[in-house]
Amino acid sequence: MKRKLKRYDKTIAVIFGVLTLLFLILAFTSKDFFEWAYERHQNQLSWYLRPLFLIPFCYFAYKKSWGGILGTIFLLLTSMFWFPKPEVISEQVKQFLEMEKDYLSGDWGFAKLLMTSLIPISFIALGVAFWKRSLWFGLSVVIFMAVGKMVWSVAFGGEAGKSIFVPAIIGLVICISLIYIGFRKLEKKKRE
């Protein structure tokens, strides 16, 4: 079974790569879809769920599976609208997501491109860390990603940016713990 999956890994990667690209094109070209997705993104369940996608991302990088890595990225991106629009939305969440929408739909100058490029660069660094089996480098990248998201949120969202702190910190603690435990188990299994 493992060999079969490995044989189709590149095909799976291409499929998820294309789906991710189509998702991004749809999100940035269809105002209706963009608004629909952001209405559902107000449901904070997605805020708690999204950081947890770093766990399978690291696992698939460790296993050197492009299909798993790109599948996880696709699921991470689309998870923002998996939950229904919440009945009650805190004012802080509304303000923060309004800032985020304005950021994404506003003008894209060099500084914004440079800053936003830290996201794919972080994912590449995280993937490389676990591809090369470097636990400490990988955990450092996970911490950088969480702290970077919190700093960005407050820098651009002010007080409303603090609304992501609890989900980010809980996600960080869970990710570090499970990635550490999983890595140790995989390494132990490899030595046996």
Side-chain angles (χ1 to χ4, degrees):
M1 182 67 171
K2 280 184 183 180
R3 274 195 201 143
K4 253 188 178 176
L5 279 177
K6 196 72 173 163
R7 188 170 20 152
Y8 295 114
D9 188 61
K10 287 183 182 159
T11 304
I12 293 167
V14 169
I15 290 167
F16 278 116
V18 168
L19 287 172
T20 299
L21 187 60
L22 291 173
F23 169 75
L24 291 171
I25 290 168
L26 180 62
F28 285 101
T29 59
S30 172
K31 187 168 174 55
D32 290 339
F33 178 77
F34 188 77
E35 293 297 329
W36 176 84
Y38 258 89
E39 278 183 351
R40 279 142 192 79
H41 191 39
Q42 292 175 85
N43 190 324
Q44 286 191 289
L45 285 174
S46 72
W47 297 24
Y48 286 92
L49 175 70
R50 294 180 93 211
L52 302 181
F53 281 101
L54 295 178
I55 298 165
F57 181 91
C58 294
Y59 172 79
F60 287 121
Y62 182 94
K63 290 294 193 173
K64 300 183 178 183
S65 168
W66 287 107
I69 290 169
L70 290 171
T72 303
I73 290 171
F74 176 75
L75 293 173
L76 169 66
L77 289 172
T78 61
S79 69
M80 71 182 287
F81 59 78
W82 289 2
F83 300 99
K85 180 182 175 184
E87 301 277 327
V88 180
I89 305 159
S90 80
E91 197 54 42
Q92 224 180 11
V93 168
K94 278 185 195 175
Q95 288 175 5
F96 176 71
L97 286 178
E98 209 45 54
M99 175 281 301
E100 207 174 53
K101 279 172 37 180
D102 290 344
Y103 181 89
L104 290 171
S105 60
D107 291 335
W108 281 79
F110 180 74
K112 188 190 276 191
L113 282 171
L114 189 62
M115 187 175 346
T116 305
S117 71
L118 288 175
I119 297 167
I121 290 169
S122 297
F123 273 96
I124 291 167
L126 185 61
V128 167
F130 285 98
W131 196 283
K132 299 281 188 183
R133 312 288 204 271
S134 176
L135 175 64
W136 300 114
F137 177 50
L139 292 179
S140 299
V141 174
V142 170
I143 293 167
F144 169 79
M145 291 169 86
V147 171
K149 174 69 173 178
M150 290 188 281
V151 168
W152 177 87
S153 298
V154 171
F156 286 87
E159 203 58 34
K162 293 180 181 176
S163 63
I164 70 131
F165 280 22
V166 172
I169 292 168
I170 289 172
L172 178 62
V173 169
I174 291 170
C175 284
I176 287 174
S177 302
L178 292 180
I179 290 169
Y180 180 84
I181 291 166
F183 185 89
R184 291 291 179 212
K185 283 186 176 186
L186 288 168
E187 288 290 293
K188 184 179 177 186
K189 188 176 176 182
K190 197 172 75 173
R191 284 192 298 269
E192 291 174 351

